[in-house]
Amino acid sequence: MDSDASFNNGHEPTISDVAYRAGVSIRTVSRVLNNSPRVSDDTRARIEQAITSLSFRPSLRARALATGRSFLIGIVHNDRNALVLDTVQRGVGREATRRGYEVICHSTPLEEEGAIEDVLAFTRRSRIDGLIVLPPVSGIIGLPQALQAEQVAAVALSAVPINGYGSIILSREADAAGAVADYLVALGHQRIAMVTGPQSMISAIERRRGFIEALDRNRVALLHEIEGDYSLASGVAAAEKLLSLSPLPTAIFAANDIMAAGVLKVASERRIAVPSPLSVVGFDGSLVAELLTPALTTVARPFGEMAEIATHQLINLVEGQPLPQAAPPPLRLLIAQSTTASPIGDCPEF
Amino acid sequence: MDSDASFNNGHEPTISDVAYRAGVSIRTVSRVLNNSPRVSDDTRARIEQAITSLSFRPSLRARALATGRSFLIGIVHNDRNALVLDTVQRGVGREATRRGYEVICHSTPLEEEGAIEDVLAFTRRSRIDGLIVLPPVSGIIGLPQALQAEQVAAVALSAVPINGYGSIILSREADAAGAVADYLVALGHQRIAMVTGPQSMISAIERRRGFIEALDRNRVALLHEIEGDYSLASGVAAAEKLLSLSPLPTAIFAANDIMAAGVLKVASERRIAVPSPLSVVGFDGSLVAELLTPALTTVARPFGEMAEIATHQLINLVEGQPLPQAAPPPLRLLIAQSTTASPIGDCPEF
DNA sequence: AACGCTTTAGTTAGCGCTATCATTTATTGC
DNA sequence: GCAATAAATGATAGCGCTAACTAAAGCGTT
């Protein structure tokens, strides 16, 4: 008795509306929806036509129930990513949409152990098929194992390779920091200081390592370094120390744009002009860089594309398809007004 | 034949596992899950105990299929919200989690007609139960009607009341801008200029109106105004004109923090010190405000709480519960280093 | 033309819930 | 004490899909 399938009475079209319209069984429609090869071209065309004319879209939730999959992928991040979150989210969204998935976003308060529980609760609640983990959450020890135990496919953006994730998209902190070092040396700077990030965080360790190693390659020694915690206040505190050095550094590299903003603040307070005698470089390529005065030279990683790649990998993982190792998209050194050639001779005294 | 319900064989526990464990029918478990009153305290306790001990969580997707609801709510925004998006998202997330919903986020490229189609496609794809629309998307003419036609419950954050949404949470642009005007006048400023937002956008119109009306109330006339488009470049361009006026304004109010950053840039270039002789005020209370030099006085709206309220209203709407009119959370004028008393005038007589 | 083999299409049993109806059991009035 | 009513619980039909399993049709072979 399929008498009621004959009308599209107002409600959303279902697979049986399509089947009726195309004069086939729902099984065959299902085959078309799932790209099964066992359908004749003729039938397929008729079904596709019916789908279009009814503007039918398979219900994700019915499909989810039947397959045991949700067609949902999650993003976990933490508060500090606010500035790149939007970019990442959109990148994930692009690829997810392309492949028929939806995206759910979750922000966790990063308290090491607490965060693991929090993420697990999120995955259970939302029943996502796969998870994209952004740093610094991705660096939490034990998280990939916990996710594995819960059968959640996970792909991470991370500064360094980590065991346990299905795939890692490297954020190339070290390379990007190295590019900054090369750039500063090319400008003739020899007295270079750095405000590092918190050395408990992998990203910060890598930025420092990449910067110092590149300086080494250029046979330049790091004049001085002070550890910050990525906050504005710590940037200010570090700059106060660095700008009390004598002679002054000619360039300061801050491990993120926010701390660099702090450096600019102190420089301004002490009437040390930027970019000369003091060049300042930030890190992240965030929106704030161009808003500062002077606009901050910084280095941007292609987070949008990285997110797309991560999503691609994740869905491949979920669907059991091969994981091609894509070439990483290029870094971009965004040169602005906060850097210039090293002043000839020594810095003036103040 | 329920022989297989007796073991919890590895897989996620289902409602029948719970029913078996508690020695009742699944119907009764379902009642407990849905807070139906028609269950004895004794049975309820036994079922709740079984739920806990199995750490059972009802499958959203099965529930979705059975009820025709998805327990998903969406957020639509556009690129320009990046700075507050995170706050809003977290606010929505808090309330949504509390009430058993998940959140899906969608960013649309705001092209008036295009955006409507884009949002509709999003709602159809994700089958959300309700939608939270952020400005400026919420101001798109015809969108609430289009959503109504698709049966999507929608609540908007908006600068002004709009017909068609289930509920509106006012962003109080005018009030906040008025607070800035009051503050500047209290500081003794009489020559006040404004960089407005694009007068095609409601938020910008309201900010301008609120500012001017408050000045009027204080018997101060707006010295000059220039329309920007919320971008850095437009802020710079506007400042170049305003800072060529003679005599100079003693205070400039920019309709968002980004344009205010532009004003600071030009002031710095022309060696006009901020906050004296020139005070600068931004709008939004965004992260960038404190990063600028000098830190920008700005006004923050409680978007996190507004988002929570909006979500509360939305879920009430979806579930057919009453919509209480909550008192709006307070605005916060964030006074920083970019403002000080007017260098010339003393305070007005009243 | 009868046979097997491949290709295409249909039948149908769930997926884990909700909610309509029916049924059983406790409570109350007179 | 017994019908009448209320309260608590159970049996079960879907929700819109997927995916075994089954059936029919096309097509060379000998």
Side-chain angles (χ1 to χ4, degrees):
Chain A
M1 258 53 74
D2 66 330
S3 55
D4 58 319
S6 47
F7 307 106
N8 180 0
N9 359 260
H11 54 42
E12 286 276 287
T14 73
I15 194 172
S16 23
D17 294 323
V18 175
Y20 180 87
R21 176 75 158 252
V24 297
S25 75
I26 63 169
R27 177 66 245 255
T28 306
V29 176
S30 174
R31 283 197 184 87
V32 170
L33 292 178
N34 292 283
N35 296 312
S36 158
R38 304 247 153 283
V39 181
S40 70
D41 292 347
D42 176 51
T43 310
R44 180 184 302 275
R46 225 170 47 250
I47 292 175
E48 277 168 353
Q49 206 271 313
I51 288 176
T52 324
S53 78
L54 291 171
S55 61
F56 162 82
R57 284 170 178 285
S59 156
L60 275 196
R61 49 206 199 218
R63 182 178 274 184
L65 190 56
T67 57
R69 301 196 357 232
S70 64
F71 297 91
L72 249 33
I73 68 181
I75 302 178
V76 202
H77 64 108
N78 97 328
D79 303 10
R80 303 206 189 155
N81 308 99
L83 291 174
V84 291
L85 174 62
D86 192 55
T87 309
V88 168
Q89 205 166 300
R90 212 173 348 265
V92 171
R94 277 195 297 273
E95 174 69 6
T97 301
R98 210 174 286 147
R99 309 204 33 194
Y101 287 69
E102 295 299 328
V103 180
I104 292 188
C105 219
H106 180 71
S107 158
T108 184
L110 183 70
E111 301 293 351
E112 293 299 328
E113 317 93 48
I116 294 186
E117 256 322 298
D118 186 63
V119 172
L120 256 34
F122 166 67
T123 62
R124 274 194 287 258
R125 242 188 304 113
S126 53
R127 315 250 170 158
I128 51 172
D129 289 338
L131 191 64
I132 293 184
V133 191
L134 306 185
V137 183
S138 57
I140 294 175
I141 293 170
L143 180 58
Q145 289 72 29
L147 290 170
Q148 268 180 342
E150 291 272 329
Q151 319 256 37
V152 180
V155 165
L157 260 63
S158 165
V160 294
I162 302 175
N163 277 335
Y165 287 113
S167 178
I168 294 271
I169 312 299
L170 291 175
S171 56
R172 297 193 289 160
E173 314 285 336
D175 291 351
V180 172
D182 292 341
Y183 167 68
L184 287 176
V185 171
L187 285 178
H189 291 277
Q190 298 281 319
R191 291 208 306 283
I192 302 175
M194 175 170 184
V195 184
T196 69
Q199 296 297 299
S200 55
M201 290 177 66
I202 300 168
S203 68
I205 294 173
E206 287 297 298
R207 288 173 201 185
R208 175 177 179 277
R209 184 177 66 75
F211 190 66
I212 292 179
E213 286 181 7
L215 284 184
D216 278 353
R217 277 199 303 280
N218 285 288
R219 303 183 194 283
V220 172
L222 184 60
L223 178 68
H224 202 83
E225 62 175 298
I226 293 185
E227 181 175 338
D229 63 3
Y230 285 156
S231 73
L232 177 64
S234 75
V236 168
E240 278 167 353
K241 288 183 195 150
L242 291 176
L243 296 181
S244 300
L245 292 177
S246 176
L248 283 176
T250 63
I252 295 180
F253 170 47
N256 74 352
D257 289 341
I258 292 175
M259 293 194 299
V263 174
L264 292 183
K265 263 184 203 292
V266 177
S268 156
E269 216 165 70
R270 304 209 175 175
R271 313 223 181 286
I272 298 171
V274 175
S276 186
L278 178 70
S279 288
V280 178
V281 183
F283 195 94
D284 275 346
S286 64
L287 176 63
V288 306
E290 60 171 339
L291 299 180
L292 296 173
T293 306
L296 191 65
T297 293
T298 183
V299 54
R301 272 80 52 75
F303 279 110
E305 294 164 57
M306 284 162 59
E308 274 187 73
I309 293 174
T311 309
H312 187 81
Q313 301 270 47
L314 179 60
I315 296 178
N316 278 10
L317 195 65
V318 168
E319 300 186 342
Q321 294 172 30
L323 299 185
Q325 200 59 37
L331 305 169
R332 283 183 313 137
L333 187 65
L334 302 174
I335 296 172
Q337 284 80 57
S338 71
T339 47
T340 191
S342 170
I344 300 163
D346 285 324
C347 270
E349 309 259 353
F350 285 92
Chain B
M1 257 58 75
D2 66 329
S3 55
D4 59 316
S6 46
F7 308 106
N8 180 359
N9 355 262
H11 55 43
E12 285 276 288
T14 72
I15 195 173
S16 23
D17 294 324
V18 174
Y20 180 86
R21 176 76 158 250
V24 297
S25 75
I26 62 170
R27 179 64 246 255
T28 306
V29 177
S30 174
R31 282 198 185 87
V32 170
L33 292 178
N34 293 282
N35 296 312
S36 159
R38 305 247 153 282
V39 182
S40 70
D41 293 346
D42 175 52
T43 310
R44 181 184 301 274
R46 227 170 45 249
I47 292 175
E48 277 168 354
Q49 205 272 315
I51 288 176
T52 322
S53 77
L54 292 170
S55 59
F56 163 82
R57 283 170 178 284
S59 155
L60 274 195
R61 48 204 199 222
R63 182 178 276 185
L65 190 55
T67 57
R69 303 197 353 235
S70 63
F71 297 91
L72 251 32
I73 68 181
I75 303 178
V76 201
H77 63 109
N78 96 327
D79 302 11
R80 302 201 190 159
N81 306 99
L83 291 173
V84 292
L85 173 62
D86 192 56
T87 307
V88 169
Q89 205 166 299
R90 213 175 346 264
V92 172
R94 277 194 298 274
E95 174 70 6
T97 302
R98 209 173 288 148
R99 309 205 34 195
Y101 286 69
E102 295 298 330
V103 180
I104 292 188
C105 219
H106 179 72
S107 158
T108 184
L110 184 70
E111 301 294 351
E112 296 297 330
E113 316 93 47
I116 294 185
E117 255 324 297
D118 186 63
V119 171
L120 256 33
F122 165 68
T123 61
R124 274 194 286 254
R125 244 189 301 115
S126 52
R127 313 246 172 165
I128 51 171
D129 289 337
L131 191 64
I132 292 184
V133 190
L134 305 185
V137 182
S138 56
I140 295 175
I141 293 169
L143 180 57
Q145 289 71 29
L147 289 170
Q148 269 181 341
E150 290 274 327
Q151 318 254 39
V152 180
V155 166
L157 259 64
S158 164
V160 294
I162 302 175
N163 276 335
Y165 287 114
S167 178
I168 294 271
I169 313 299
L170 292 175
S171 55
R172 296 193 289 160
E173 314 286 336
D175 291 349
V180 172
D182 290 341
Y183 168 67
L184 287 176
V185 171
L187 285 177
H189 292 276
Q190 297 280 319
R191 290 211 306 283
I192 301 175
M194 175 171 184
V195 184
T196 69
Q199 296 298 301
S200 55
M201 290 176 66
I202 300 168
S203 68
I205 294 173
E206 287 298 296
R207 289 173 200 186
R208 174 178 180 276
R209 184 177 66 77
F211 190 68
I212 292 179
E213 286 181 6
L215 284 184
D216 278 354
R217 276 198 304 277
N218 286 287
R219 304 182 197 281
V220 172
L222 183 61
L223 178 69
H224 203 84
E225 63 174 298
I226 294 185
E227 180 174 338
D229 63 3
Y230 284 156
S231 73
L232 177 65
S234 75
V236 168
E240 277 166 354
K241 288 182 197 150
L242 292 176
L243 296 181
S244 301
L245 293 176
S246 175
L248 283 177
T250 63
I252 295 180
F253 169 47
N256 73 352
D257 289 341
I258 292 176
M259 294 193 299
V263 174
L264 291 183
K265 265 186 203 291
V266 176
S268 156
E269 218 164 68
R270 305 211 174 170
R271 313 224 179 285
I272 299 172
V274 175
S276 186
L278 179 70
S279 289
V280 178
V281 182
F283 195 95
D284 273 347
S286 64
L287 176 63
V288 306
E290 58 172 340
L291 300 179
L292 296 173
T293 307
L296 191 65
T297 292
T298 183
V299 55
R301 269 82 51 77
F303 279 110
E305 294 164 58
M306 284 162 57
E308 275 187 71
I309 294 174
T311 310
H312 187 82
Q313 301 271 44
L314 179 60
I315 296 178
N316 279 12
L317 196 64
V318 168
E319 299 185 342
Q321 294 171 31
L323 299 185
Q325 200 60 37
L331 306 168
R332 284 184 310 138
L333 186 65
L334 302 173
I335 297 172
Q337 284 79 56
S338 71
T339 46
T340 192
S342 167
I344 15 174
D346 27 29
C347 283
E349 350 269 338
F350 44 99

